[in-house]
Amino acid sequence: MTEDKSEMPRTELDQLGEFGLIDHLTKNTKLVQPSSKLGIGDDAAVLKLKKGLMLVSSDMLMESIHFDLTYTPLKHLGYKAVAVNISDIVAMNGTCSQITVNIGLSNRFSLEAVEELYEGVHLACAHYGCDLVGGDTTSSRAGLVISITAIGTVAPDKLVSRSKAKIHDLVCVSGDLGAAYVGLQILEREKKVFLTDEVMQPQLEAYEYVIGRQLKAEARTDVIQWFEDSGIIPTSMIDISDGLASDLLHICKQSGVGARVYEDKLPIDATTKDVALEFKLSPTTVALHGGEDYELLFTVSQELHEKVDEQQDISIIGHIAEASHGAELVSVQGDVVVLEAQGWRHFGNRGTGEQGTFGIIEQ
Ligand code: ADP
Ligand code: MG
């Protein structure tokens, strides 16, 4: 689990006070975006508008609901909180230029702990080239709260929403699916072991990839750069935060279409498969319903088949169909399964040809 910090220095937050803390956390913040006219230090940040559309998106993370500090290093949490917000801007085919960070802290947190959180925030800002231009700091009795707002831009003719997928479009996904979910299962399992026997140190090496996918989320800015470089504008797009099935259903509903995806086309990493089976879960279930991968699910017109197909790290998993079909998965055996947003139902009739729901496989 996270290293023992008892030997490390601890500075109480009330030694600094609110303004001292804000100043301490943000004093080295540099602005690199030309649109950032004024950052931290006034009543509001000032952004210079140019032509184009502005994108704004917020996400709030609550301790014990969205993260568990037993196994989440604060630096990773700060980074992830920024990355998942940027992912929402990226899912509109946009570029993030600024973020604001709101934090709620209880006196359980020392200055050193908050510094660690901000190390992750600053690292993510540097990695994605966006500016931290403001935020708010308050005390909390309910553990750590971190809420980030990301601001970005997109040219009007490049904007991609969830609502313009057309029949026959290809359904595509970046990277691989289900890894963040199985990574979380490993961390939860090791936490239980740790709580019963503190001397036991977790054996995590074999699971490095999937744990990394849970703790070190990245926004796929490289994918939208590829769109830009190759002149591709998807007809619809969403980032996969809740799971492929649920997010594909969002596209279907908002575009007024159905979709058909194929089990054998789902990109699943070998480690994800192994870990899923270790937990007696079907790798397909995990790929369909495991959230937090932050990959991009998008649709493109059929003419782009070749261009998309030759791109490594992008998988064509199916196509858009008539709305009356709903969202369907064609299993390896050729059965058609209706996809539902809520996963984890028992998958009772595999192989019968009847419609069922993917869920936990009992072995
Ligand atoms: P106000 O009282 O006007 O809300 P604050 O004292 O809360 O101002 O904040 C002072 C400045 O510091 C503002 O520019 C604000 O955006 C910024 N700020 C406050 N908290 C944070 C934070 N957690 N991270 C980054 N900037 C912050
Ligand atoms: Mg304030």
Side-chain angles (χ1 to χ4, degrees):
M1 298 288 95
T2 44
E3 67 207 274
D4 182 5
K5 301 250 167 60
S6 53
E7 299 300 316
M8 298 177 83
R10 183 183 163 97
T11 312
E12 299 301 330
L13 288 178
D14 49 18
Q15 271 175 254
L16 288 103
E18 181 190 336
F19 300 121
L21 174 64
I22 296 171
D23 192 44
H24 185 81
L25 293 175
T26 61
K27 60 177 186 279
N28 294 324
T29 306
K30 292 190 181 60
L31 302 179
V32 298
Q33 290 283 341
S35 56
S36 303
K37 290 306 280 182
L38 192 59
I40 290 162
D42 217 306
D43 293 311
V46 181
L47 310 185
K48 189 171 169 55
L49 298 176
K50 50 173 192 174
K51 277 201 216 115
L53 301 173
M54 181 173 280
L55 304 165
V56 180
S57 177
S58 290
D59 262 311
M60 183 152 147
L61 302 177
M62 308 274 293
E63 185 177 351
S64 309
I65 309 269
H66 301 104
F67 57 87
D68 186 330
L69 290 177
T70 324
Y71 51 71
T72 311
L74 283 160
K75 186 173 168 183
H76 290 64
L77 178 66
Y79 191 98
K80 182 170 175 176
V82 177
V84 304
N85 272 278
I86 293 179
S87 179
D88 282 321
I89 300 290
V90 165
M92 309 296 288
N93 206 21
T95 308
C96 180
S97 45
Q98 286 87 14
I99 61 162
T100 62
V101 176
N102 302 324
I103 47 173
L105 299 164
S106 67
N107 54 15
R108 185 157 62 85
F109 292 91
S110 64
L111 173 65
E112 288 75 18
V114 189
E115 274 175 341
E116 214 185 306
L117 179 78
Y118 261 71
E119 232 181 276
V121 169
H122 288 305
L123 195 64
C125 283
H127 179 75
Y128 293 107
C130 63
D131 292 340
L132 171 63
V133 293
D136 203 17
T137 307
T138 173
S139 51
S140 151
R141 291 199 189 128
L144 177 63
V145 181
I146 174 163
S147 169
I148 294 189
T149 297
I151 298 162
T153 52
V154 61
D157 58 341
K158 302 267 170 72
L159 176 71
V160 179
S161 66
R162 299 177 179 180
S163 64
K164 305 229 163 46
K166 301 273 176 320
I167 292 174
H168 305 310
D169 280 355
L170 305 172
V171 176
C172 312
V173 67
S174 64
D176 59 76
L177 301 174
Y181 179 81
V182 297
L184 181 62
Q185 302 314 302
I186 299 280
L187 290 167
E188 288 282 344
R189 184 178 71 188
E190 296 307 317
K191 177 186 168 183
K192 282 198 198 106
V193 173
F194 180 75
L195 291 178
T196 47
D197 183 359
E198 294 216 5
V199 188
M200 280 280 289
Q201 274 304 309
Q203 301 297 316
L204 300 175
E205 292 78 25
Y207 305 113
E208 203 178 319
Y209 176 67
V210 295
I211 290 173
R213 292 280 284 169
Q214 170 58 225
L215 295 180
K216 297 188 277 187
E218 294 284 1
R220 294 303 305 263
T221 47
D222 58 319
V223 176
I224 64 159
Q225 185 61 50
W226 168 65
F227 292 151
E228 175 76 22
D229 295 344
S230 45
I232 294 173
I233 300 174
T235 50
S236 71
M237 183 152 60
I238 188 169
D239 66 325
I240 303 184
S241 50
D242 297 335
L244 173 68
S246 168
D247 291 319
L248 179 61
L249 281 162
H250 284 304
I251 286 188
C252 288
K253 186 164 177 229
Q254 296 196 31
S255 295
V257 295
R260 186 165 255 225
V261 296
Y262 295 83
E263 183 181 18
D264 61 349
K265 305 267 191 241
L266 300 179
I268 311 174
D269 177 82
T271 315
T272 306
K273 281 186 190 165
D274 290 346
V275 180
L277 294 172
E278 205 179 313
F279 282 88
K280 302 199 183 330
L281 298 169
S282 124
T284 299
T285 303
V286 158
L288 287 173
H289 300 295
E292 295 200 284
D293 286 315
Y294 298 100
E295 293 297 342
L296 292 172
L297 173 66
F298 59 95
T299 56
V300 292
S301 100
Q302 256 185 337
E303 295 104 71
L304 290 168
H305 188 283
E306 221 173 301
K307 223 181 204 177
V308 175
D309 204 27
E310 68 194 18
Q311 182 67 11
Q312 268 196 350
D313 204 35
I314 303 286
S315 306
I316 301 174
I317 59 168
H319 54 83
I320 294 293
E322 301 274 356
S324 58
H325 284 256
E328 300 171 334
L329 178 81
V330 180
S331 77
V332 175
Q333 293 89 345
D335 303 327
V336 175
V337 180
V338 173
L339 292 179
E340 288 173 17
Q342 275 95 26
W344 312 113
R345 287 234 235 126
H346 184 242
F347 179 53
N349 35 9
R350 174 160 226 180
T352 63
E354 288 172 38
Q355 296 199 330
T357 312
F358 270 80
I360 297 165
I361 279 193
E362 303 207 326
Q363 290 183 326

